[in-house]
Amino acid sequence: MNTIEAIRHRRSIKQYDPNYVMNQEDLNTILQAAVLAPTSFNIQHWRFVHVQDQAIRQQLRAAAWDQAQVTDASTLLLVTGDTLSWQESPERYWANVDQQTRETLVTMLQDFYRDREWLQRDEVIRSGAMAAQNIMLAAEDLGYQTSPMIGFDIDKVGEIIRLPENHVIVMMLAIGKGTTQAYPRGGQLPLSEIVIKDQF
Ligand SMILES: Cc1cc2nc3c(=O)[nH]c(=O)nc-3n(C[C@H](O)[C@H](O)[C@H](O)COP(=O)(O)O)c2cc1C
């Protein structure tokens, strides 16, 4: 499947075969695709919580409007991110470049994020969302269906997964073998409405 096909084919699927088990190789392929998403200054804010414990899945489902995909999909990921990752040994984000380049980049990124909490949070959401899209497209390519979700009690889910301070939940992602078709598309806005020429 090429990229355009995967983008066109991906739909949100809500019913899954609860007996299907994703193999470890496919999960690794999906997670390796996730971490190739771009992040500002290569900070890689994302932290993926892979929920396998069925009791925890049940708790999450209860906190997520009883959405069946939370327990039934083979894989459940909580895409979260660390708002303080910009200051946590940032030199490791540029481990492979020469020292001078590394020091320049670390100084730049620290100056950019310091004292700007709103930007630190925005960046987690930006990074996590791009990783989530990589996950969904990689899963599509491997023959799985996916369901992105924010329909849940965010505080409750944070409690259940023991979300650390300074971390943010980006979304929940169910991945597995769908058993139903997607609803017809809701309808995409025309490009003439959403593409602005030069200036608003
Ligand atoms: C961040 C995000 C959160 C979503 N939350 C839910 C959800 O909680 N439950 C649900 O059934 N669908 C959820 N959706 C799916 C959207 O309804 C769906 O993406 C949209 O209708 C477009 O349909 P498609 O994904 O099949 O193209 C969510 C999608 C996104 C991107």
Side-chain angles (χ1 to χ4, degrees):
M1 190 179 284
N2 69 32
T3 308
I4 291 287
E5 283 171 357
I7 289 169
R8 289 185 179 143
H9 203 248
R10 182 215 58 81
R11 296 297 314 280
S12 294
I13 300 297
K14 298 158 205 283
Q15 305 295 330
Y16 289 83
D17 177 354
N19 297 315
Y20 185 86
V21 180
M22 183 186 294
N23 65 61
Q24 191 60 43
E25 189 186 341
D26 284 353
L27 180 60
N28 283 347
T29 301
I30 288 168
L31 290 172
Q32 292 296 347
V35 302
L36 292 180
T39 55
S40 175
F41 288 103
N42 199 36
I43 292 175
Q44 304 162 69
H45 313 76
W46 43 58
R47 301 290 181 267
F48 305 102
V49 183
H50 177 207
V51 186
Q52 294 176 283
D53 185 308
Q54 270 307 320
I56 298 177
R57 290 262 208 126
Q58 289 291 348
Q59 292 177 43
L60 290 172
R61 177 169 170 168
W65 310 341
D66 197 32
Q67 296 190 76
Q69 63 268 44
V70 177
T71 51
D72 294 355
S74 176
T75 298
L76 187 76
L77 298 176
L78 257 300
V79 181
T80 77
D82 182 355
T83 61
L84 296 184
S85 44
W86 63 277
Q87 62 179 18
E88 291 160 353
S89 307
E91 58 285 345
R92 64 204 162 104
Y93 309 138
W94 292 98
N96 296 344
V97 302
D98 64 86
Q99 188 182 348
Q100 194 184 346
T101 307
R102 182 164 53 248
E103 284 173 5
T104 303
L105 285 164
V106 166
T107 302
M108 280 173 70
L109 78 85
Q110 289 183 325
D111 289 347
F112 192 61
Y113 291 108
R114 188 179 301 111
D115 298 329
R116 300 168 91 189
E117 287 181 12
W118 58 272
L119 186 60
Q120 296 163 18
R121 185 188 163 88
D122 284 358
E123 217 65 90
V124 165
I125 303 293
R126 259 190 284 276
S127 302
M130 283 196 275
Q133 183 72 350
N134 271 19
I135 288 171
M136 290 189 282
L137 294 180
E140 194 69 39
D141 187 58
L142 294 173
Y144 295 103
Q145 287 71 48
T146 56
S147 174
M149 282 169 278
I150 198 62
F152 51 83
D153 180 330
I154 295 176
D155 292 334
K156 184 79 197 158
V157 167
E159 274 172 37
I160 294 168
I161 64 167
R162 300 185 188 159
L163 188 74
E165 209 179 332
N166 301 314
H167 286 54
V168 175
I169 292 178
V170 179
M171 71 182 80
M172 205 184 279
L173 276 179
I175 311 165
K177 289 289 178 185
T179 55
T180 50
Q181 299 292 314
Y183 297 124
R185 284 191 189 278
Q188 313 314 120
L189 296 175
L191 295 184
S192 58
E193 180 179 340
I194 58 167
V195 180
I196 288 81
K197 192 166 184 290
D198 295 328
Q199 293 178 305
F200 273 96

